[in-house]
Amino acid sequence: MESLREVVGRITEAERGDQALNAFLSLADDFEAPMSPAGSLQGVPVAIKDNIATHGLPTTCGSRALEGYYSPFEATVVRRLRAAGASIVGKTNLDEFGMGSSTENSAFGATLNPHDRGRVPGGSSGGSAAAVAAGYVTMALGSDTGGSVRQPAALCGVVGVKPTYGRVSRYGLVAFASSLDQIGTFGRTVLDAARLLEVVSGYDPRDATSVARPTPPFAEAVADGVEGLVVGVPEEYLPESLDPAVRERVDAALEGLRRAGADIRSVSLPHTDLAIPCYYVLAPAEASSNLARFDGVRYGVRETGSDVQEMYEATRSRTLGHEVKRRIMLGTYVLSAGYYDEYYGAAQRARELIRADFRQLFSSGVDVLFTPTTPTPAFALGARTADPVEMYHSDVFTVTANLAGIPALSVPIGRVDGLPVGGQVLAPWWEEARMIAVAGTVERALQGAAR
Ligand code: GLN
C-alpha cells in the first residue's frame, strides 16, 4: 500500500502538470503514522472537503474570508477517520461555503471534471468527487445541503452518499443551512462509499442534531439482494423534457433491478415542483444567519476600517464572493418583518408537503425510490454562471431528500456522450442499508457499462 507521503507526492505531481484538476486546496505535509494501525481504513487515502475542520490543515470553505484559517478543533468525522487508521491526504475544493453546483464559485478557482477538462465536476463538493474519480484518493468526505455530494458524484462517475439527517455528526462542519446540512461520503464503488459511511456514522454528544441510533454494517449491505423489494419510480423525476439518453440509462438500471427480483412501480410525489423554490428560500434564510459570524472579529480575515461598522462592511464586502452575498441578501430579505410569513413561512409549509409525499409513499409499501441524479451530464465550464436560476435547477432531483431528511445516494449508471450519469436511490429515514443494497445491485447489473 502507498504511504501517505507517496500519495501526496503523486497528487502534487499530477496537479502540477497541464492536466491539473485543481481538486485540492491543501495537501498533508505531516507524514506521521496514523493513530490506529488496526482500524478498518488502515492506510486508506481519504480527502476532506474544505468546510470540515481538520487539525494541521487550513479550513477555508473556498472563501477569501477564511484564507489561511486553521480551526482550533477537529471535526468528529475526521477524528473517527484517524481512529480507523485512514490517511488524511488533504482538503478539497468547493463552491464558497458550499453554495453552488459546479465548484466555479470557489475563491481559489474552479475544479475541472477529470472526464473532460472543459466541463464542471458538479458541486459544491466538486474537489472531493474529482479527487476520487481521478484516482487521487480512494474515498472522500463532502457535505450535502441540497445535493452537493450526489450531484458531483453523478457528474464525475463515482458513488456519493447523503445519509439520513442526524446519522453523521456535523461537529466541525462549517454550517451553511443547518436544517439541511449532512456530511456525506464518496467512493469509486458502492462498497467504498459504504465503508467510509460506516466509519463516520454514529451518535456524537457534541452535535445537538445527532441521533443515537446504532450504525448498521453498511459495507455488508452492498452484497444484499433486492428480491421482492418495491422500487418506486416517481413520474415527476422523469419529465417529458428529460434527455432521452439519460432516461435510457435510468431504464437500464431499472431493468437490472427487475432482473434481480425487485418490483418496479411508477409512483408520484406530487409536490416535487415546490422543491426548488422552497429550498432556495430556506437555504439562503439559514445561510444569512449562519454566515453572520464571518464578521472579521471571530474568524479569519479582517479588513481595516475607521470604526467597527466600517471594519465589518469592509471585511464582508471584500472577502465574500458574489453568490454568497446573493444568498445573504436573499435570506435576509425573506426573513425580514413583513415578508417572513409570505416567504419563509410559505417555504416551511411547502417543506412539510414534500416530506409528507415521501412519508405517504414509504408507508404504502414502497421500499425505495429510483430517479436520475441530475437531468444532464456535466455541463461546460461557464455555461450556467450567468444565470443563477439555471444553476439552481442543476439540483431539481436532489434537494427533496434534504428537505425531507431522508438518505439518498448516487451510483453511476453509464455514459451519455462519453460523460458519466448517475442514478439516485432514495430510502426511508434510517434505511441506508437498504439503499446501499439497491445501489450495489445496480452497480453489479451494469458493471462495465457504468464506468
Ligand atoms: N447547489 C445547492 C446550493 O447551491 C446545494 C449545495 C449543497 O448541497 N451544499 O445551495
Side-chain angles (χ1 to χ4, degrees):
M1 191 179 283
E2 259 182 321
S3 70
L4 177 56
R5 188 189 297 276
E6 285 162 345
V7 174
V8 169
R10 176 168 56 75
I11 297 170
T12 306
E13 195 56 40
E15 289 286 85
R16 233 197 317 257
D18 56 2
Q19 293 296 295
L21 300 170
N22 197 30
F24 281 90
L25 295 179
S26 57
L27 285 165
D29 53 13
D30 174 357
F31 303 116
E32 297 236 330
M35 237 155 70
S36 163
S40 71
L41 297 182
Q42 204 253 308
V44 175
V46 181
I48 313 289
K49 187 179 186 179
D50 204 22
N51 59 354
I52 299 175
T54 314
H55 274 319
L57 290 167
T59 297
T60 70
C61 297
S63 181
R64 292 267 172 233
L66 290 175
E67 194 165 3
Y69 174 74
Y70 283 80
S71 168
F73 59 88
E74 181 155 83
T76 298
V77 288
V78 180
R79 292 170 61 106
R80 284 179 173 273
L81 281 176
R82 291 193 203 276
S87 292
I88 309 299
V89 171
K91 306 294 290 289
T92 56
N93 202 4
L94 69 160
D95 288 298
E96 188 173 2
F97 290 105
M99 299 177 191
S101 309
S102 68
T103 316
E104 292 166 296
N105 294 337
S106 168
F108 307 112
T111 296
L112 311 183
N113 190 313
H115 296 275
D116 176 349
R117 284 166 172 71
R119 292 176 189 268
V120 303
S124 65
S125 313
S128 288
V132 172
Y136 289 170
V137 289
T138 307
M139 303 169 182
L141 289 181
S143 64
D144 190 314
T145 304
S148 280
V149 167
R150 290 160 286 153
Q151 188 259 17
L155 271 40
C156 288
V158 298
V159 178
V161 183
K162 181 203 91 73
T164 308
Y165 187 81
R167 171 74 81 188
V168 174
S169 168
R170 303 180 304 176
Y171 179 77
L173 168 69
V174 178
F176 161 10
S178 307
S179 78
L180 302 158
D181 297 339
Q182 260 298 287
I183 288 175
T185 65
F186 290 94
R188 295 254 277 192
T189 59
V190 179
L191 179 60
D192 279 348
R195 285 168 69 205
L196 182 55
L197 183 65
E198 201 173 311
V199 167
V200 297
S201 292
Y203 177 64
D204 178 10
R206 291 201 265 202
D207 172 359
T209 62
S210 165
V211 176
R213 301 241 348 179
T215 302
F218 293 135
E220 279 176 25
V222 178
D224 287 351
V226 296
E227 183 78 51
L229 272 194
V230 176
V231 178
V233 183
E235 58 190 44
E236 291 79 4
Y237 289 67
L238 296 173
E240 285 293 316
S241 58
L242 188 72
D243 183 343
V246 173
R247 168 92 209 220
E248 190 267 319
R249 294 320 307 156
V250 171
D251 288 340
L254 290 171
E255 183 50 34
L257 288 170
R258 186 180 292 115
R259 270 188 274 113
D263 173 6
I264 315 293
R265 280 186 209 167
S266 177
V267 297
S268 174
L269 290 161
H271 297 98
T272 300
D273 60 344
L274 298 178
I276 286 285
C278 170
Y279 174 85
Y280 280 98
V281 169
L282 295 181
E286 295 184 28
S288 69
S289 153
N290 273 324
L291 268 61
R293 59 169 65 84
F294 301 105
D295 56 5
V297 177
R298 286 173 282 190
Y299 304 89
V301 176
R302 176 183 305 172
E303 297 283 337
T304 52
S306 59
D307 59 21
V308 75
Q309 187 62 37
E310 258 188 33
M311 185 281 288
Y312 284 158
E313 273 180 34
T315 301
R316 287 171 70 81
S317 55
R318 284 182 215 153
T319 65
L320 299 175
H322 284 304
E323 183 60 27
V324 173
K325 285 181 188 161
R326 178 169 19 241
R327 306 270 181 121
I328 292 172
M329 287 187 278
L330 189 61
T332 306
Y333 180 79
V334 299
L335 290 174
S336 59
Y339 294 104
Y340 182 92
D341 193 58
E342 194 176 335
Y343 295 112
Y344 190 75
Q348 291 281 44
R349 291 188 286 278
R351 180 180 192 166
E352 196 39 52
L353 294 172
I354 290 163
R355 209 181 267 140
D357 278 356
F358 284 109
R359 206 181 292 124
Q360 149 66 25
L361 278 187
F362 290 138
S363 61
S364 65
V366 175
D367 295 309
V368 293
L369 298 167
F370 195 86
T371 77
T373 309
T374 60
T376 66
F379 41 95
L381 288 158
R384 295 187 190 170
T385 43
D387 181 353
V389 174
E390 198 190 345
M391 189 68 91
Y392 297 170
H393 275 91
S394 311
D395 308 322
V396 271
F397 300 149
T398 52
V399 295
T400 48
N402 303 78
L403 291 167
I406 57 173
L409 68 67
S410 181
V411 59
I413 54 170
R415 289 179 183 246
V416 167
D417 301 329
L419 297 165
V421 286
Q424 180 177 229
V425 186
L426 303 110
W429 296 267
W430 310 107
E431 297 295 344
E432 283 89 346
R434 187 189 300 163
M435 170 177 93
I436 287 166
V438 171
T441 304
V442 169
E443 187 177 55
R444 285 187 294 276
L446 298 178
Q447 287 177 15
R451 299 221 174 250

